[in-house]
Amino acid sequence: MKRLLTIICLLAGLTAYAQMRTYSDNESKTFIVGLESYFFGESGTLDFSIDKASFKASLASGAVSINGTDLESGEGDTVIGIHDFTGNRAPDLVIARRRDGGVYANVYTLEGGEWKLAGKVGSPEATEIRVFRQVLSIRSGSALLSWTWHGSKFDYKASDGSAEPVL
């Protein structure tokens, strides 16, 4: 019985891919781990759908647009991906950037047909963002910083009690 329980726990751990780097994460050298789908580079597109509506997120020269409508611009290495933080079974858009020695991400959600900024996360002293369920977490020094989706916004908490970084 104990052996069966151990095997079940190991198999369950294998399905929790969001906290592990995959081969493609290592190959692309991405700095955000656990997105459902993403691309990393200087330019590209990511196609996804929400309730039978199709969307194309595009990156060119630091500018991100969705279906041709500008969303934001920025500098640094960029990852564009999707993940359902809100729990409504519709993907939210994540735009993550690495610049000036830190990592930062903006999360957008579709509300009333428009993309709205749902939250900003980041740390000027971190190298990687991890995504798991409704949480974005960043190891910054000895502290673990986390932003968890609750109801209608991301709530911040740090393992060392520090204040939320100013982004």
Side-chain angles (χ1 to χ4, degrees):
M1 184 66 167
K2 195 176 205 181
R3 187 175 197 173
L4 179 61
L5 183 59
T6 302
I7 291 170
I8 290 171
C9 289
L10 286 172
L11 290 175
L14 290 176
T15 62
Y17 68 92
Q19 288 295 302
M20 298 186 309
R21 280 191 163 276
T22 64
Y23 176 79
S24 60
D25 291 335
N26 290 333
E27 187 69 20
S28 70
K29 297 180 177 57
T30 186
F31 53 93
I32 183 164
V33 177
L35 295 173
E36 294 167 21
S37 181
Y38 70 92
F39 75 87
F40 176 50
E42 295 177 13
S43 64
T45 61
L46 177 66
D47 296 318
F48 60 100
S49 61
I50 299 175
D51 296 329
K52 299 181 184 176
S54 296
F55 296 93
K56 180 179 285 212
S58 303
L59 171 66
S61 302
V64 178
S65 62
I66 296 183
N67 293 352
T69 301
D70 291 338
L71 197 56
E72 71 173 55
S73 292
E75 296 181 2
D77 295 332
T78 305
V79 173
I80 295 179
I82 56 171
H83 184 81
D84 181 13
F85 291 102
T86 57
N88 62 0
R89 298 186 182 187
D92 303 301
L93 184 70
V94 178
I95 302 170
R97 299 184 193 266
R98 178 172 47 201
R99 66 178 188 279
D100 303 327
V103 292
Y104 308 89
N106 292 331
V107 178
Y108 293 87
T109 190
L110 187 63
E111 289 181 13
E114 292 186 34
W115 288 95
K116 307 279 184 178
L117 182 63
K120 293 179 158 216
V121 305
S123 172
E125 302 166 353
T127 59
E128 184 174 84
I129 300 171
R130 291 195 175 248
V131 174
F132 186 68
R133 296 187 182 157
Q134 281 82 23
V135 180
L136 292 122
S137 60
I138 298 174
R139 172 80 50 205
S140 184
S142 62
L144 179 64
L145 314 178
S146 64
W147 290 261
T148 305
W149 183 264
H150 287 124
S152 61
K153 65 182 181 80
F154 284 97
D155 292 326
Y156 171 78
K157 187 171 185 177
S159 63
D160 65 354
S162 61
E164 186 170 5
V166 178
L167 306 175

